Amino acid sequence: MLRIKRVPTAVSNFQKEEAEEGGGGCGRNCLQKCCIPGAKLPLYAFKRLNKISGGKDLLNPEDKEPPVAFLDSLLLGEWEDRAQKGLFRYDVTACETKVIPGEYGFIAQLNEGRHLKKRPTEFRVDKVLQPFDGSKFNFTKVGQEEVLFQFEASEDNEIQFFPNAPIDVENSPSVVAINVSPIEYGHVLLIPRILECLPQRIDRDSFLLALYMAAEAGNPYFRLGYNSLGAFATINHLHFQAYYLAVPFPIEKALTRKITTFKGGVVISELSNYPVRGFVFEGGNTMEDLSNAVSDSCICLQENNIPFNVFISDSAKRIFLLPQCYAEKQALGEVSPELLDTQVNPAVWEISGHMVLKRKKDYEEASEANAWRLLAEVSLSEERFQEVKALIFEVISCRDKGNPSVSESLLEEEPDDKPQSLEEVDALNKGSRHPMVSGECLVLH
């Protein structure tokens, strides 16, 4: 069994409290049976979309003004309220941040607040799927004051907001809560069906919910991320992370090479000239087409014990799927002491190009070459990546029997390099000379 001793970052104030007190007692207004009866929280009811990606809603072509602006008014307003109440472990707005000079524009942040000493914990890194353990910290143990609102599909297919809605214990709600150790302003957690105590594993419904959140925000600078176990998820209770960053992530500007188009119009590409090998999903006749293609791929990786990260970009129109092996390399002693000394655990945000650094020395010496070197260690080798690609496509094509051309095109890559960028970003210089460096990594089956 491979284990890594590491110090987890607390995402809830009660996580640290439980470590100190041994988890005894309550009386803290949590989300468990002792406190939840009669509890109320704001409820944002979103409208299910039935539209072509990027097109108008087919059920209601007239765009109506929602009763509350999701991102700026509700999420950030509630988040700022919790900041004023002192619920965060540090002031993230005081953290130094800079764009590293270079072709990709990696972002470096000095966040010494995420490096506080806590109880060391051993995490298994050799199993992506592990059963939920209610004796360990989970999100039902957070205080209700850390929850911003419930996030559910509207029953009448219209956007609605209820400032004081009862918590339906029988139909476990999905909630949005603060991350008390934020990386950026507005850093929150989306916790699907929180009372069901689902382990950290992707399923079709939960992933579609995450896409709805990204689409509902409607802002290209609001992104969601997911870390599997073995890819630096720190809590085995299903959750996504999200925050607002008003600059492009380097991965959004990376070149891609189209691989194929699946039934439903979902285009699958692979990253080109980026330090981490990965897939890009976009298009689709409906959001569900796109969501199912990605979630089925994630389920395939989970079932084959391959750690991965997911980055949801461009208001749910583009999704990056990134299998990785850094934790296993680390456990096997294959990562250099110099990289280990940085104590940077490359999860979804780091892989996407937002480098959260814990030492001032690393921040002052931050360079594109250093960022590239770290991320290259995360990537699967070319040989292993091709094996994973074939595995994913076999699963998707089996569920896409109505499109026989798919299986014929799996090994035919279309030379369609193009920059992935937001509208506000200048076109990326295509003359990248960075080497694609990665060693072999062990993926246990």
Side-chain angles (χ1 to χ4, degrees):
M1 181 191 306
L2 299 177
R3 290 181 180 269
I4 294 177
K5 281 193 174 183
R6 55 190 301 259
V7 180
T9 298
V11 297
S12 166
N13 289 314
F14 295 107
Q15 186 178 357
K16 180 174 181 291
E17 188 175 291
E18 184 177 61
E20 295 171 346
E21 298 177 358
C26 184
R28 55 191 190 187
N29 198 33
C30 69
L31 291 173
Q32 298 189 358
K33 292 180 180 179
C34 51
C35 300
I36 203 169
K40 295 183 178 181
L41 290 168
L43 168 62
Y44 184 96
F46 63 87
K47 177 180 178 180
R48 288 188 180 92
L49 300 178
N50 186 16
K51 69 178 183 178
I52 297 173
S53 182
K56 286 188 175 294
D57 190 337
L58 299 180
L59 295 179
N60 183 12
E62 295 182 4
D63 294 327
K64 294 183 179 180
E65 196 70 25
V68 59
F70 172 74
L71 181 67
D72 297 323
S73 178
L74 178 59
L75 190 150
L76 290 180
E78 292 291 321
W79 194 90
E80 181 63 32
D81 172 75
R82 302 317 191 271
Q84 292 176 0
K85 291 177 178 176
L87 296 186
F88 295 98
R89 300 179 63 77
Y90 50 82
D91 179 8
V92 71
T93 63
C95 295
E96 294 182 64
T97 299
K98 64 183 177 183
V99 176
I100 300 173
E103 189 174 15
Y104 281 79
F106 287 98
I107 305 137
Q109 181 192 89
L110 177 60
N111 195 327
E112 295 171 297
R114 291 176 69 87
H115 189 44
L116 301 175
K117 291 184 177 180
K118 305 179 187 70
R119 179 183 59 174
T121 305
E122 289 188 346
F123 288 90
R124 292 190 64 169
V125 299
D126 62 334
K127 287 197 177 295
V128 173
L129 296 180
Q130 299 178 38
F132 180 87
D133 185 348
S135 67
K136 296 182 178 179
F137 176 80
N138 63 78
F139 295 114
T140 67
K141 298 180 180 183
V142 306
Q144 291 178 26
E145 68 273 13
E146 294 182 11
V147 180
L148 303 185
F149 53 89
Q150 303 175 71
F151 185 68
E152 295 290 336
S154 172
E155 293 182 357
D156 60 4
N157 209 39
E158 290 294 337
I159 296 174
Q160 295 178 299
F161 178 68
F162 305 93
N164 204 26
I167 297 175
D168 187 349
V169 177
E170 296 301 319
N171 298 297
S172 179
S174 299
V175 302
V176 176
I178 59 171
N179 185 331
V180 302
S181 300
I183 291 176
E184 264 299 337
Y185 192 80
H187 193 168
V188 295
L189 306 169
L190 170 65
I191 309 163
R193 311 193 303 278
I194 184 170
L195 303 180
E196 291 184 26
C197 295
L198 303 169
Q200 184 74 343
R201 63 184 299 171
I202 293 288
D203 61 73
R204 277 190 167 192
D205 290 342
S206 65
F207 194 79
L208 182 58
L209 182 76
L211 292 198
Y212 271 121
M213 184 174 178
E216 203 67 29
N219 191 309
Y221 292 132
F222 183 75
R223 292 85 159 190
L224 279 84
Y226 175 87
N227 302 314
S228 79
L229 298 182
F232 299 105
T234 58
I235 295 173
N236 187 22
H237 188 175
L238 181 58
H239 66 286
F240 296 81
Q241 300 188 49
Y243 61 74
Y244 181 87
L245 185 67
V247 294
F249 278 77
I251 200 170
E252 294 174 319
K253 300 187 292 181
L255 300 177
T256 62
R257 179 177 293 109
K258 181 179 176 181
I259 303 171
T260 191
T261 301
F262 280 94
K263 183 182 179 181
V266 177
V267 177
I268 303 182
S269 307
E270 64 180 79
L271 292 169
S272 175
N273 287 327
Y274 194 73
V276 182
R277 295 177 175 86
F279 304 97
V280 185
F281 296 76
E282 54 193 327
N285 296 331
T286 67
M287 182 178 290
E288 193 165 355
D289 286 331
L290 180 59
S291 179
N292 287 345
V294 181
S295 59
D296 287 350
S297 300
C298 293
I299 291 168
C300 170
L301 294 180
Q302 289 170 170
E303 292 177 345
N304 284 276
N305 205 37
I306 302 169
F308 64 93
N309 309 90
V310 180
F311 182 75
I312 300 172
S313 173
D314 197 14
S315 301
K317 296 184 183 70
R318 245 184 325 138
I319 300 143
F320 299 80
L321 174 58
L322 304 144
Q324 71 140 296
C325 60
Y326 188 87
E328 292 183 10
K329 280 186 174 180
Q330 187 178 356
L332 294 169
E334 297 176 358
V335 179
S336 71
E338 184 181 354
L339 289 179
L340 293 176
D341 286 346
T342 67
Q343 299 188 49
V344 174
N345 296 318
V348 61
W349 306 120
E350 288 80 9
I351 291 174
S352 301
H354 191 186
M355 315 303 293
V356 182
L357 304 173
K358 302 170 184 177
R359 303 188 306 180
K360 193 169 185 64
K361 170 180 179 291
D362 297 322
Y363 180 79
E364 292 173 345
E365 297 175 359
S367 67
E368 185 167 275
N370 287 343
W372 195 279
R373 181 184 173 201
L374 170 65
L375 295 186
E377 290 292 327
V378 175
S379 182
L380 301 185
S381 68
E382 177 62 27
E383 180 182 4
R384 182 58 183 148
F385 181 74
Q386 294 303 326
E387 293 174 358
V388 170
K389 179 167 70 174
L391 189 66
I392 287 175
F393 281 8
E394 180 181 3
V395 168
I396 297 180
S397 61
C398 287
R399 300 181 183 184
D400 195 19
K401 295 183 183 298
N403 185 4
S405 64
V406 169
S407 59
E408 298 171 6
S409 64
L410 296 186
L411 301 179
E412 298 178 6
E413 296 182 0
E414 301 181 31
D416 184 28
D417 281 1
K418 62 179 181 178
Q420 297 289 325
S421 61
L422 303 177
E423 293 178 358
E424 295 81 0
V425 183
D426 292 332
L428 180 66
N429 179 356
K430 295 185 179 181
S432 174
R433 293 181 295 275
H434 288 287
M436 186 70 80
V437 181
S438 176
E440 291 289 338
C441 94
L442 175 65
V443 180
L444 301 176
H445 292 272

